[in-house]
Coordinates of all heavy atoms in Angstrom, one line a residue:
M4 N 48.3 63.6 158.1 CA 48.3 64.4 156.9 C 49.7 64.4 156.3 O 50.7 64.5 157.0 CB 47.9 65.9 157.2 CG 47.9 66.7 156.0 SD 46.9 68.2 155.9 CE 47.2 69.1 157.3
A5 N 49.7 64.3 155.0 CA 51.0 64.2 154.3 C 51.7 65.6 154.3 O 51.0 66.6 154.3 CB 50.8 63.8 152.8
R6 N 53.0 65.5 154.2 CA 53.8 66.8 154.1 C 53.4 67.5 152.8 O 53.2 66.9 151.8 CB 55.3 66.5 154.1 CG 55.8 66.2 155.4 CD 57.3 66.1 155.4 NE 57.8 65.6 154.2 CZ 59.1 65.4 153.9 NH1 60.0 65.7 154.8 NH2 59.5 64.9 152.7
P7 N 53.4 68.9 152.8 CA 53.2 69.6 151.6 C 54.3 69.3 150.6 O 55.5 69.2 151.0 CB 53.2 71.1 152.0 CG 53.4 71.1 153.5 CD 53.6 69.7 154.0
L8 N 53.9 69.2 149.4 CA 54.9 69.0 148.3 C 55.8 70.2 148.1 O 55.3 71.4 148.1 CB 54.1 68.7 147.0 CG 54.9 68.0 145.9 CD1 55.5 66.7 146.3 CD2 53.9 67.8 144.7
R9 N 57.0 70.0 147.8 CA 58.0 71.1 147.5 C 58.4 71.0 146.1 O 58.5 69.9 145.6 CB 59.2 70.9 148.5 CG 60.1 72.1 148.5 CD 61.2 71.9 149.5 NE 62.4 72.5 149.0 CZ 63.3 72.0 148.1 NH1 63.0 70.8 147.6 NH2 64.3 72.6 147.7
V10 N 58.6 72.1 145.4 CA 59.0 72.1 144.0 C 60.4 72.6 144.0 O 60.7 73.7 144.3 CB 58.1 73.0 143.1 CG1 58.6 73.0 141.7 CG2 56.6 72.5 143.2
C11 N 61.4 71.8 143.5 CA 62.8 72.2 143.4 C 63.0 73.2 142.2 O 62.1 73.3 141.3 CB 63.7 71.0 143.2 SG 63.7 70.2 141.6
D12 N 64.1 73.9 142.3 CA 64.4 74.9 141.2 C 64.4 74.2 139.8 O 64.0 74.8 138.9 CB 65.8 75.5 141.5 CG 65.7 76.4 142.8 OD1 64.6 76.7 143.2 OD2 66.8 76.8 143.3
H13 N 65.0 73.0 139.7 CA 65.1 72.4 138.4 C 63.7 72.1 137.8 O 63.5 72.4 136.7 CB 65.9 71.1 138.5 CG 65.9 70.3 137.3 ND1 66.8 70.6 136.3 CD2 65.2 69.2 136.8 CE1 66.6 69.7 135.3 NE2 65.6 68.9 135.6
A14 N 62.8 71.6 138.7 CA 61.5 71.3 138.2 C 60.7 72.6 137.8 O 60.0 72.7 136.8 CB 60.7 70.6 139.3
L15 N 60.9 73.7 138.6 CA 60.3 74.9 138.3 C 60.8 75.5 137.0 O 60.0 75.9 136.1 CB 60.6 75.9 139.4 CG 60.0 77.3 139.2 CD1 58.5 77.3 139.1 CD2 60.4 78.2 140.4
L16 N 62.1 75.4 136.8 CA 62.7 75.9 135.5 C 62.1 75.1 134.3 O 61.8 75.6 133.3 CB 64.2 75.7 135.5 CG 65.0 76.2 134.3 CD1 64.7 77.7 134.1 CD2 66.4 76.0 134.5
R17 N 62.1 73.7 134.4 CA 61.5 72.9 133.4 C 60.1 73.2 133.1 O 59.6 73.2 132.0 CB 61.7 71.4 133.7 CG 63.2 71.0 133.6 CD 63.8 71.2 132.3 NE 65.2 71.2 132.4 CZ 66.0 72.2 132.3 NH1 65.6 73.4 132.0 NH2 67.3 72.1 132.4
F18 N 59.3 73.5 134.1 CA 57.9 73.8 134.0 C 57.8 75.1 133.2 O 57.0 75.2 132.2 CB 57.2 74.0 135.3 CG 55.8 74.5 135.2 CD1 54.8 73.6 134.9 CD2 55.5 75.8 135.3 CE1 53.5 74.1 134.8 CE2 54.2 76.3 135.2 CZ 53.2 75.4 134.9
L19 N 58.6 76.1 133.6 CA 58.5 77.4 132.8 C 58.9 77.2 131.4 O 58.3 77.8 130.5 CB 59.4 78.4 133.5 CG 59.0 78.9 134.9 CD1 60.1 79.7 135.5 CD2 57.7 79.7 134.8
E20 N 59.9 76.4 131.2 CA 60.4 76.2 129.8 C 59.4 75.3 129.0 O 59.1 75.7 127.8 CB 61.7 75.4 129.9 CG 62.4 75.1 128.6 CD 63.7 74.4 128.9 OE1 63.8 73.5 129.7 OE2 64.7 74.8 128.2
R21 N 59.0 74.2 129.5 CA 58.2 73.2 128.7 C 56.7 73.5 128.7 O 56.0 73.2 127.7 CB 58.5 71.8 129.2 CG 60.0 71.5 129.0 CD 60.4 70.2 129.7 NE 61.8 69.9 129.5 CZ 62.5 69.0 130.1 NH1 61.9 68.3 131.1 NH2 63.8 68.9 129.9
V22 N 56.2 74.0 129.8 CA 54.7 74.2 129.9 C 54.4 75.7 129.6 O 53.5 76.0 128.9 CB 54.2 73.8 131.2 CG1 52.7 74.0 131.3 CG2 54.5 72.3 131.4
G23 N 55.2 76.6 130.2 CA 55.0 78.0 130.1 C 55.5 78.6 128.8 O 55.2 79.8 128.5
G24 N 56.3 77.9 128.1 CA 56.8 78.4 126.8 C 58.0 79.4 126.9 O 58.3 80.1 126.0
L25 N 58.6 79.5 128.1 CA 59.7 80.4 128.2 C 61.0 79.8 127.6 O 61.3 78.7 127.8 CB 60.0 80.6 129.7 CG 61.2 81.5 130.1 CD1 60.9 82.9 129.7 CD2 61.4 81.4 131.6
D26 N 61.6 80.6 126.7 CA 62.8 80.2 126.0 C 64.0 80.5 127.0 O 64.6 81.6 127.0 CB 63.0 81.0 124.7 CG 64.2 80.5 123.9 OD1 65.0 79.8 124.4 OD2 64.2 80.9 122.7
V27 N 64.3 79.6 127.8 CA 65.3 79.7 128.9 C 66.7 80.0 128.3 O 67.4 80.9 128.8 CB 65.4 78.4 129.7 CG1 66.5 78.5 130.7 CG2 64.1 78.2 130.4
E28 N 67.0 79.4 127.2 CA 68.3 79.6 126.6 C 68.4 81.1 126.0 O 69.5 81.7 126.1 CB 68.7 78.6 125.5 CG 68.9 77.2 126.1 CD 70.0 77.2 127.2 OE1 71.0 77.8 127.0 OE2 69.7 76.6 128.2
A29 N 67.4 81.6 125.5 CA 67.4 83.0 125.0 C 67.6 83.9 126.2 O 68.3 84.9 126.1 CB 66.1 83.3 124.3
V30 N 66.9 83.7 127.3 CA 67.1 84.5 128.5 C 68.5 84.4 129.0 O 69.1 85.4 129.3 CB 66.1 84.1 129.6 CG1 66.3 84.9 130.9 CG2 64.6 84.3 129.1
R31 N 69.1 83.2 129.0 CA 70.5 83.0 129.4 C 71.4 83.8 128.5 O 72.3 84.5 129.0 CB 70.8 81.5 129.4 CG 72.2 81.1 129.9 CD 72.5 79.7 129.7 NE 71.5 78.7 129.9 CZ 71.3 78.1 131.1 NH1 72.1 78.4 132.1 NH2 70.3 77.2 131.2
R32 N 71.2 83.7 127.2 CA 72.1 84.4 126.3 C 72.0 85.9 126.5 O 73.0 86.7 126.5 CB 71.7 84.1 124.8 CG 72.3 82.8 124.3 CD 72.1 82.6 122.8 NE 70.8 82.8 122.4 CZ 69.8 81.8 122.4 NH1 70.1 80.6 122.8 NH2 68.6 82.1 121.9
H33 N 70.8 86.4 126.7 CA 70.5 87.9 126.9 C 71.3 88.3 128.1 O 71.9 89.4 128.1 CB 69.0 88.2 126.9 CG 68.7 89.6 127.3 ND1 68.8 90.6 126.4 CD2 68.4 90.2 128.4 CE1 68.5 91.7 126.9 NE2 68.2 91.5 128.2
L34 N 71.1 87.6 129.2 CA 71.8 88.0 130.5 C 73.3 88.0 130.3 O 73.9 88.9 130.7 CB 71.3 87.0 131.6 CG 71.8 87.3 133.0 CD1 71.5 88.7 133.4 CD2 71.3 86.3 133.9
A35 N 73.8 86.9 129.7 CA 75.3 86.9 129.5 C 75.8 88.0 128.7 O 76.8 88.7 129.0 CB 75.7 85.5 128.9
E36 N 75.1 88.3 127.6 CA 75.5 89.4 126.7 C 75.5 90.7 127.4 O 76.3 91.6 127.2 CB 74.7 89.4 125.4 CG 74.9 88.2 124.5 CD 73.9 88.0 123.4 OE1 73.0 88.9 123.3 OE2 74.0 87.1 122.6
S37 N 74.5 90.9 128.2 CA 74.4 92.2 128.9 C 75.4 92.4 130.0 O 75.7 93.6 130.3 CB 72.9 92.4 129.4 OG 72.7 91.5 130.5
L38 N 76.0 91.3 130.5 CA 77.0 91.4 131.6 C 78.4 91.3 131.1 O 79.4 91.5 131.8 CB 76.7 90.4 132.7 CG 75.3 90.6 133.3 CD1 75.1 89.4 134.3 CD2 75.2 91.9 134.0
N39 N 78.6 90.8 129.9 CA 79.9 90.5 129.4 C 80.9 91.6 129.4 O 82.1 91.4 129.8 CB 79.9 90.0 127.9 CG 79.7 88.5 127.9 OD1 80.1 87.8 128.8 ND2 79.1 88.0 126.8
R40 N 80.5 92.8 129.1 CA 81.5 94.0 129.1 C 82.0 94.2 130.4 O 83.2 94.4 130.6 CB 80.8 95.2 128.5 CG 81.7 96.4 128.3 CD 81.0 97.5 127.5 NE 81.7 98.7 127.7 CZ 81.2 99.9 127.6 NH1 79.9 100.0 127.4 NH2 82.0 100.9 127.8
A41 N 81.1 94.3 131.4 CA 81.5 94.6 132.8 C 82.4 93.5 133.3 O 83.4 93.7 134.0 CB 80.3 94.8 133.7
A42 N 82.0 92.2 133.1 CA 82.8 91.1 133.6 C 84.2 91.1 132.9 O 85.2 90.8 133.6 CB 82.0 89.8 133.3
G43 N 84.2 91.4 131.6 CA 85.5 91.4 130.9 C 86.5 92.4 131.5 O 87.7 92.2 131.7
A44 N 85.9 93.6 131.8 CA 86.7 94.7 132.4 C 87.3 94.3 133.8 O 88.4 94.5 134.1 CB 85.9 96.0 132.5
A45 N 86.4 93.6 134.6 CA 86.9 93.2 135.9 C 87.9 92.1 135.8 O 88.9 92.1 136.6 CB 85.7 92.7 136.7
E46 N 87.7 91.2 134.9 CA 88.7 90.1 134.7 C 90.1 90.6 134.2 O 91.1 90.1 134.6 CB 88.1 89.1 133.7 CG 87.0 88.2 134.3 CD 86.4 87.3 133.3 OE1 86.7 87.3 132.1 OE2 85.5 86.5 133.7
Q47 N 90.0 91.7 133.4 CA 91.3 92.3 133.0 C 92.1 92.9 134.2 O 93.3 92.9 134.1 CB 91.1 93.4 131.9 CG 90.8 92.8 130.6 CD 90.6 93.9 129.5 OE1 90.4 95.1 129.8 NE2 90.8 93.5 128.3
L48 N 91.4 93.2 135.2 CA 92.0 93.7 136.4 C 92.4 92.6 137.4 O 92.9 92.8 138.4 CB 91.1 94.7 137.1 CG 90.7 96.0 136.4 CD1 89.7 96.8 137.1 CD2 92.0 96.8 136.2
G49 N 92.1 91.3 136.9 CA 92.5 90.2 137.7 C 91.4 89.6 138.6 O 91.7 88.7 139.4
A50 N 90.2 90.2 138.6 CA 89.2 89.7 139.5 C 88.6 88.3 139.0 O 88.4 88.1 137.8 CB 88.0 90.7 139.5
K51 N 88.4 87.4 139.9 CA 87.8 86.1 139.6 C 86.4 86.1 140.2 O 85.5 85.3 139.7 CB 88.6 85.0 140.2 CG 90.0 84.9 139.5 CD 90.6 83.5 139.8 CE 92.0 83.4 139.3 NZ 92.2 83.7 137.9
E52 N 86.1 86.9 141.2 CA 84.8 87.1 141.7 C 84.4 88.5 141.7 O 85.2 89.4 141.9 CB 84.8 86.6 143.2 CG 85.1 85.1 143.3 CD 85.0 84.7 144.8 OE1 84.7 85.5 145.7 OE2 85.2 83.5 145.0
M53 N 83.1 88.8 141.4 CA 82.7 90.2 141.2 C 81.2 90.3 141.4 O 80.5 89.3 141.3 CB 83.1 90.8 139.9 CG 82.4 90.1 138.7 SD 83.1 90.3 137.1 CE 84.5 89.2 137.2
T54 N 80.8 91.5 141.7 CA 79.3 91.8 141.8 C 79.1 92.9 140.7 O 79.8 94.0 140.8 CB 78.9 92.3 143.1 OG1 79.1 91.2 144.1 CG2 77.4 92.6 143.1
I55 N 78.3 92.7 139.8 CA 78.0 93.6 138.7 C 76.7 94.3 139.0 O 75.7 93.6 139.2 CB 78.0 93.0 137.3 CG1 79.3 92.3 137.0 CG2 77.6 94.0 136.3 CD1 79.3 91.5 135.7
A56 N 76.7 95.6 139.2 CA 75.4 96.3 139.5 C 74.9 96.9 138.1 O 75.7 97.6 137.4 CB 75.7 97.4 140.5
A57 N 73.7 96.6 137.8 CA 73.1 97.1 136.6 C 71.6 97.4 136.9 O 70.9 96.4 137.3 CB 73.3 96.2 135.4
D58 N 71.1 98.6 136.6 CA 69.7 98.9 136.8 C 69.2 98.5 138.2 O 68.1 98.0 138.3 CB 68.9 98.3 135.7 CG 69.3 98.7 134.3 OD1 69.6 99.9 134.2 OD2 69.3 97.9 133.4
G59 N 70.0 98.7 139.2 CA 69.5 98.4 140.6 C 69.6 97.0 141.0 O 69.3 96.7 142.1
T60 N 70.0 96.1 140.1 CA 70.1 94.7 140.4 C 71.6 94.4 140.5 O 72.4 94.9 139.8 CB 69.5 93.9 139.2 OG1 68.1 94.3 139.1 CG2 69.5 92.4 139.5
H61 N 71.9 93.4 141.3 CA 73.3 93.0 141.5 C 73.4 91.5 141.0 O 72.6 90.7 141.4 CB 73.7 93.1 143.0 CG 73.9 94.5 143.4 ND1 72.9 95.2 143.9 CD2 75.0 95.3 143.5 CE1 73.3 96.4 144.3 NE2 74.6 96.5 144.0
Y62 N 74.4 91.3 140.2 CA 74.7 90.0 139.6 C 76.0 89.5 140.2 O 77.0 90.1 140.0 CB 74.8 90.0 138.1 CG 73.5 90.6 137.4 CD1 73.3 92.0 137.3 CD2 72.5 89.7 137.0 CE1 72.2 92.5 136.7 CE2 71.3 90.2 136.5 CZ 71.2 91.6 136.3 OH 70.0 92.1 135.8
V63 N 76.0 88.4 140.9 CA 77.2 87.9 141.5 C 77.8 86.9 140.6 O 77.2 85.9 140.2 CB 76.9 87.2 142.9 CG1 78.2 86.7 143.5 CG2 76.2 88.3 143.8
V64 N 79.1 87.1 140.2 CA 79.8 86.3 139.3 C 81.0 85.7 140.0 O 81.8 86.4 140.6 CB 80.3 87.2 138.1 CG1 81.0 86.3 137.0 CG2 79.1 87.9 137.4
V65 N 81.2 84.4 139.8 CA 82.3 83.6 140.4 C 82.9 82.8 139.3 O 82.2 82.0 138.7 CB 81.9 82.8 141.6 CG1 83.1 82.0 142.1 CG2 81.2 83.6 142.7
K66 N 84.2 83.0 139.0 CA 84.9 82.3 138.0 C 84.2 82.2 136.6 O 84.0 81.2 136.0 CB 85.2 80.8 138.5 CG 86.1 80.8 139.7 CD 86.4 79.4 140.1 CE 87.3 79.4 141.3 NZ 87.4 78.1 141.9
G67 N 83.6 83.3 136.2 CA 83.0 83.5 134.9 C 81.6 82.9 134.9 O 81.0 82.8 133.8
V68 N 80.9 82.6 136.0 CA 79.6 82.1 136.1 C 78.7 83.0 137.0 O 79.1 83.3 138.1 CB 79.5 80.7 136.6 CG1 78.1 80.1 136.7 CG2 80.4 79.7 135.8
V69 N 77.6 83.5 136.4 CA 76.6 84.2 137.2 C 76.0 83.2 138.2 O 75.3 82.3 137.7 CB 75.5 84.9 136.4 CG1 74.6 85.7 137.3 CG2 76.2 85.9 135.4
V70 N 76.2 83.4 139.5 CA 75.7 82.4 140.5 C 74.5 82.8 141.2 O 73.7 82.0 141.7 CB 76.8 82.0 141.5 CG1 78.0 81.3 140.8 CG2 77.3 83.2 142.3
T71 N 74.2 84.1 141.2 CA 72.9 84.6 141.8 C 72.6 86.0 141.4 O 73.5 86.7 140.8 CB 72.9 84.5 143.4 OG1 71.6 84.6 143.8 CG2 73.8 85.5 144.0
V72 N 71.4 86.4 141.5 CA 70.9 87.7 141.2 C 70.2 88.3 142.4 O 69.4 87.6 143.0 CB 70.0 87.6 140.0 CG1 69.4 89.0 139.6 CG2 70.6 87.0 138.8
L73 N 70.6 89.5 142.8 CA 70.0 90.1 144.0 C 69.2 91.3 143.6 O 69.6 92.1 142.8 CB 71.2 90.5 144.9 CG 72.1 89.4 145.3 CD1 73.3 90.0 146.1 CD2 71.4 88.4 146.1
T74 N 68.0 91.4 144.2 CA 67.2 92.6 144.0 C 67.7 93.8 144.8 O 68.5 93.7 145.6 CB 65.7 92.3 144.5 OG1 65.8 92.1 145.9 CG2 65.2 91.0 143.8
P75 N 67.2 95.0 144.5 CA 67.6 96.2 145.2 C 67.5 96.1 146.7 O 68.2 96.6 147.5 CB 66.8 97.3 144.6 CG 66.4 96.8 143.3 CD 66.3 95.3 143.4
A76 N 66.5 95.3 147.2 CA 66.2 95.2 148.6 C 67.3 94.3 149.3 O 67.4 94.3 150.5 CB 64.8 94.6 148.9
M77 N 68.0 93.5 148.5 CA 69.0 92.6 149.0 C 70.3 93.3 149.0 O 70.6 93.9 148.0 CB 69.0 91.3 148.2 CG 67.8 90.6 148.2 SD 67.9 89.3 147.0 CE 66.9 88.0 147.7
K78 N 71.1 93.1 150.0 CA 72.4 93.8 150.0 C 73.5 92.8 149.7 O 73.6 91.7 150.3 CB 72.7 94.4 151.4 CG 73.9 95.2 151.4 CD 74.0 96.0 152.8 CE 75.2 96.9 152.7 NZ 75.1 98.0 153.5
P79 N 74.3 93.0 148.6 CA 75.3 92.0 148.3 C 76.4 91.9 149.4 O 76.7 92.9 150.0 CB 75.9 92.6 147.0 CG 75.5 94.0 146.8 CD 74.3 94.1 147.7
K80 N 76.8 90.7 149.6 CA 77.9 90.5 150.6 C 79.2 91.0 150.0 O 79.5 90.9 148.8 CB 78.0 89.0 150.8 CG 78.7 88.6 152.0 CD 78.5 87.1 152.3 CE 79.0 86.2 151.2 NZ 79.2 84.8 151.6
R81 N 80.0 91.7 150.8 CA 81.3 92.2 150.4 C 82.2 91.0 150.2 O 82.5 90.3 151.1 CB 81.8 93.1 151.4 CG 83.0 93.9 151.0 CD 82.6 95.2 150.5 NE 83.8 96.0 150.4 CZ 84.0 96.7 149.3 NH1 83.2 96.7 148.3 NH2 85.1 97.5 149.2
M82 N 82.7 90.9 149.0 CA 83.7 89.8 148.7 C 85.1 90.2 148.8 O 85.4 91.3 148.3 CB 83.4 89.2 147.3 CG 82.1 88.5 147.2 SD 81.9 87.6 145.6 CE 81.6 88.9 144.5
K83 N 85.9 89.4 149.3 CA 87.4 89.7 149.3 C 87.9 89.4 148.0 O 87.6 88.4 147.4 CB 88.1 88.9 150.4 CG 87.7 89.1 151.8 CD 88.4 88.2 152.7 CE 87.9 88.4 154.1 NZ 88.5 87.5 155.1
P84 N 88.7 90.3 147.4 CA 89.3 90.1 146.1 C 90.1 88.8 146.0 O 90.9 88.6 146.9 CB 90.1 91.3 145.8 CG 90.0 92.2 146.9 CD 89.2 91.5 148.0
K85 N 89.9 88.0 145.0 CA 90.7 86.8 144.8 C 91.3 86.9 143.4 O 90.7 87.2 142.4 CB 89.8 85.5 144.8 CG 89.3 85.2 146.2 CD 88.6 83.9 146.2 CE 88.1 83.6 147.6 NZ 87.3 82.3 147.6
R86 N 92.6 86.8 143.4 CA 93.3 87.0 142.1 C 94.1 85.8 141.7 O 94.4 84.9 142.4 CB 94.3 88.2 142.2 CG 93.4 89.5 142.4 CD 94.4 90.7 142.6 NE 93.5 91.8 142.9 CZ 93.4 92.9 142.2 NH1 94.1 93.0 141.1 NH2 92.7 93.9 142.6

């Protein structure tokens, strides 16, 4: 029997965008705009890595890029400050 097919993140994203009609860039802009104020404040304090908590969700930001999103059930890893 053949191995079960796996769907990578890129293919899933393209499916949602091209077949499901999800405007990925609009979602990206919305997320960035909603986190910009908190990220800007942390950057002014010299932080290059941060976790932004909003509405029970944690957004992990490294060098100005949101790299992952954690649900309330997930506990964010404590990051050592890098300046």
Side-chain angles (χ1 to χ4, degrees):
M4 179 159 46
R6 282 188 324 181
L8 196 59
R9 193 177 143 279
V10 178
C11 72
D12 292 343
H13 176 80
L15 179 61
L16 182 60
R17 291 300 164 252
F18 175 82
L19 292 171
E20 180 180 43
R21 297 173 180 164
V22 179
L25 177 65
D26 185 347
V27 174
E28 290 308 315
V30 174
R31 185 187 318 268
R32 281 190 306 275
H33 175 77
L34 182 57
E36 289 168 4
S37 68
L38 300 175
N39 270 335
R40 184 171 166 209
E46 286 173 358
Q47 284 185 340
L48 296 173
K51 295 198 184 306
E52 296 182 358
M53 65 197 78
T54 300
I55 300 171
D58 300 321
T60 303
H61 290 87
Y62 302 87
V63 179
V64 181
V65 178
K66 296 180 183 173
V68 178
V69 178
V70 296
T71 195
V72 179
L73 305 173
T74 65
M77 302 169 146
K78 188 170 185 154
K80 198 167 62 164
R81 188 99 168 131
M82 291 189 285
K83 293 179 185 176
K85 291 185 181 177
R86 295 177 186 241

